[in-house]
Amino acid sequence: MPTPAMPTPAMPTPGIPRRTVLTAATATTALAATGLAAPAAHAAVPTLPHGTSADKVLVVGMDGVRHDLIDAANAPHLKAMRAAGTYGTSLLYANPMAATSSGPGWSTISTGVWPDKHGVRDNSFTGRDYSRYPGFLARLHQVRPELSLFAAVDWKPLDTYGTVTAGADAALVLDGDRDGYVAHDETITATTVSVLRDQNPDVAFVYLGNTDVVAHSYGTGKKYLDALAVQDAQLGRMLAAIEARPTRAAERWTVVVCTDHGHVDAGGHGGSSIPERMTFVLATGPGIAAGARPHDTRLVDVAATVFHQLGIVPDPSWGLDGRPIQQRSSDPFDTVYGSLRDRVDESGIPAGVLGFTHTPPTGWSVINSAMGTGGVTEWRGWSFTTDDFWSRTHRDQWRELNVRARGVFAVADSDEWDDRSNSGRFDSTLVTPAYSVSGKARATLRFTTHYRQETGQTARVLASFNGGTPTVVRSYTSDVVAQPQALTVDVPAGASSVGFRFHYTGANNWYWVVDGVEIHTS
């Protein structure tokens, strides 16, 4: 990662005190595992206020870790955590929402919101809005000032702009850009081990960056796997320090490991390829299922998991996009996950990447009576699919921006359907079950949508009471990029049920995504 341009640092967040920041002097050592000679840093161990919570959280951020390469590395601690905890993989956004770079990635992890909220779109940090969407340490200081909070980083923008260190009672921030100090991870580890073993922190964020440095220099081959093995051993030392605490039996520890982006095989990131967009969230702790592999986890879930494990219920005004890693979706579309199929006509999607299905959830239906014939099989009418499958169909057409959909979602994609010989137009309607509205005055349809508009296509939401003629509730005539929707209709006198329809028409146009459909009555 090149050193970013440095705009004027952000002013301290109101209500967040100046914390103790320790920097490091350097001395020479060698990194035998990677074959790199580099200076190692040594720093005094910070003194933290005594913690007050039996619920404690350690978040370890590993920069640029490709989760698909963990199995190839000597990484027993990561693998043991996967077996003992919940491990969710997902894909990042891409431009124009944000680059797959560290600035947006760590901002997303720390704040628990996507770049269209926190404002960081590249490593310049221009547009950051941490005053409205602070990092989880800053938020914890606001709502639980009695907590003892620690951070350790060696990529200085994470401190300069308050991305992750704001709110910490003490932060270890190593001198210089970490690209010149590939051994800083060792100092961060040793300092963190001392803090965990000998003091009483409540929440800590620890950053390990050498995997990213090695990937940029050497790609994701042997030296990268060796660097990952070193970081895994450093993680193991932190875990051992927790277990060695004299008060461990009375404490409830959660450990979260995550990454900010992936890498292409040759090294490098920032673009929209699948390897660059790879991320994961791995967590162990109270209430977190062992061996779970959720398909609906997102990178924004780290902050929400921290709050949940501390017993903190986020205020809706915080605007979090994330949710605790152990909280599963109640979205009906996720019930068809086991029915997802391999590719049929989509030659650009690797075999074995599931998937899609045309079979709707129980109670739902798809009307294709006006649908044209032929076209790409996967997208003939409304389909149910995942980000891993759908966003591979064609890069850089904003499919990567569908960040607020989780797990399985519904998509009407006339653009991809039209890529194979067909006749007629794309014309398909997704129909919800009928919901009871007896004795109610209003019904509100809530869902997440990701829609791209082009001349020649239509997208309409319609409502039908008691099975009667559907009437238009909303027509989309401009782009809506991954946003929640709430459409309220009045319930007519005597109506006992309401159903909704999503009707999309097009040809060689764009697409419409719908997810997280809920009905609320009042």
Side-chain angles (χ1 to χ4, degrees):
M1 178 190 309
T3 304
M6 295 290 185
T8 303
M11 295 299 291
T13 302
I16 303 301
R18 287 186 178 272
R19 70 240 178 268
T20 302
V21 177
L22 300 176
T23 59
T26 61
T28 302
T29 189
L31 291 180
T34 60
L36 297 175
H42 299 275
V45 176
T47 300
L48 289 163
H50 193 73
T52 60
S53 177
D55 295 299
K56 299 179 181 294
V57 183
L58 168 65
V59 178
V60 180
M62 295 186 174
D63 202 303
V65 171
R66 282 261 300 267
H67 63 72
D68 62 328
L69 298 177
I70 291 175
D71 282 336
N74 179 18
H77 300 99
L78 283 170
K79 294 170 186 177
M81 280 190 66
R82 287 191 313 192
T86 294
Y87 174 64
T89 63
S90 62
L91 296 174
L92 282 176
Y93 40 74
N95 281 319
M97 179 173 284
T100 50
S101 299
S102 286
W106 293 116
S107 297
T108 298
I109 289 166
S110 185
T111 63
V113 301
W114 293 110
D116 58 358
K117 287 184 178 178
H118 64 61
V120 179
R121 290 176 166 81
D122 54 38
N123 285 351
S124 73
F125 288 78
T126 301
R128 63 194 179 278
D129 191 3
Y130 298 149
S131 59
R132 184 174 180 184
Y133 301 106
F136 62 78
L137 291 182
R139 185 72 78 182
L140 288 173
H141 177 79
Q142 292 172 347
V143 300
R144 291 264 184 93
E146 70 277 11
L147 293 176
S148 177
L149 309 175
F150 173 68
V153 302
D154 77 337
W155 188 47
K156 291 198 73 174
L158 298 181
D159 175 68
T160 302
Y161 304 111
T163 306
V164 299
T165 59
D169 294 293
L172 172 65
V173 181
L174 299 192
D175 292 333
D177 178 53
R178 67 174 173 77
D179 294 69
Y181 299 109
V182 295
H184 276 180
D185 287 359
E186 177 56 34
T187 297
I188 286 173
T189 300
T191 304
T192 301
V193 165
S194 178
V195 168
L196 292 172
R197 183 190 60 217
D198 302 328
Q199 299 190 51
N200 190 31
D202 293 317
V203 182
F205 175 88
V206 179
Y207 172 86
L208 301 176
N210 196 40
T211 38
D212 189 59
V213 174
V214 172
H216 277 293
S217 297
Y218 301 101
T220 59
K222 184 181 184 303
K223 288 187 177 181
Y224 177 79
L225 296 179
D226 289 343
L228 181 54
V230 171
Q231 283 184 187
D232 181 83
Q234 291 164 338
L235 169 65
R237 288 159 56 194
M238 297 180 211
L239 298 176
I242 291 173
E243 295 306 314
R245 291 174 55 80
T247 53
R248 176 67 179 93
E251 297 169 346
R252 297 177 292 272
W253 275 91
T254 296
V255 178
V256 180
V257 182
C258 56
T259 195
D260 56 333
H261 56 71
H263 270 273
V264 297
D265 290 346
H269 55 88
S272 60
S273 71
I274 294 296
E276 292 168 279
R277 294 174 60 211
M278 287 182 174
T279 62
F280 70 91
V281 181
L282 169 60
T284 60
I288 297 176
R293 299 290 182 270
H295 59 270
D296 57 347
T297 296
R298 287 289 205 173
L299 199 61
V300 287
D301 295 343
V302 173
T305 300
V306 172
F307 298 138
H308 180 81
Q309 296 302 94
L310 293 169
I312 296 171
V313 178
D315 191 296
S317 67
W318 297 359
L320 293 186
D321 290 321
R323 67 184 187 207
I325 192 172
Q326 64 266 52
Q327 187 180 105
R328 295 282 63 80
S329 173
S330 59
D331 180 3
F333 300 149
D334 288 322
T335 63
V336 305
Y337 185 78
S339 302
L340 298 180
R341 302 175 50 192
D342 204 342
R343 70 185 190 192
V344 176
D345 295 328
E346 284 285 6
S347 58
I349 300 175
V353 176
L354 304 178
F356 84 98
T357 182
H358 290 301
T359 303
T362 301
W364 290 68
S365 61
V366 175
I367 301 173
N368 283 335
S369 56
M371 183 72 198
T373 60
V376 174
T377 298
E378 288 87 334
W379 317 116
R380 189 173 297 138
W382 280 94
S383 303
F384 305 92
T385 188
T386 66
D387 187 32
D388 193 31
F389 190 88
W390 184 58
S391 67
R392 293 175 186 261
T393 60
H394 199 123
R395 285 170 58 178
D396 300 320
Q397 293 185 338
W398 291 19
R399 290 177 181 83
E400 301 90 350
L401 278 54
N402 184 34
V403 293
R404 290 186 175 87
R406 289 177 178 264
V408 180
F409 51 85
V411 61
D413 191 337
S414 63
D415 175 60
E416 283 299 303
W417 172 75
D418 193 63
D419 284 352
R420 191 167 180 262
S421 177
N422 62 79
S423 61
R425 283 175 57 79
F426 188 108
D427 190 324
S428 185
T429 303
L430 175 64
V431 184
T432 74
Y435 302 93
S436 174
V437 292
S438 295
K440 304 296 183 179
R442 287 171 294 279
T444 299
L445 171 69
R446 296 184 183 275
F447 60 99
T448 296
T449 201
H450 180 53
Y451 176 72
R452 288 203 73 181
Q453 172 67 29
E454 189 175 54
T455 301
Q457 73 184 47
T458 65
R460 302 182 303 160
V461 181
L462 304 95
S464 171
F465 289 95
N466 292 354
T469 302
T471 58
V472 176
V473 175
R474 169 76 184 270
S475 293
Y476 289 93
T477 57
S478 59
D479 294 341
V480 180
V481 179
Q483 292 299 319
Q485 307 289 287
L487 308 180
T488 299
V489 294
D490 293 328
V491 176
S496 59
S497 69
V498 64
F500 292 92
R501 299 182 176 209
F502 301 88
H503 180 218
Y504 175 89
T505 68
N508 187 20
N509 300 115
W510 287 119
Y511 47 75
W512 189 13
V513 172
V514 171
D515 194 31
V517 178
E518 298 177 347
I519 307 296
H520 300 266
T521 57
S522 59

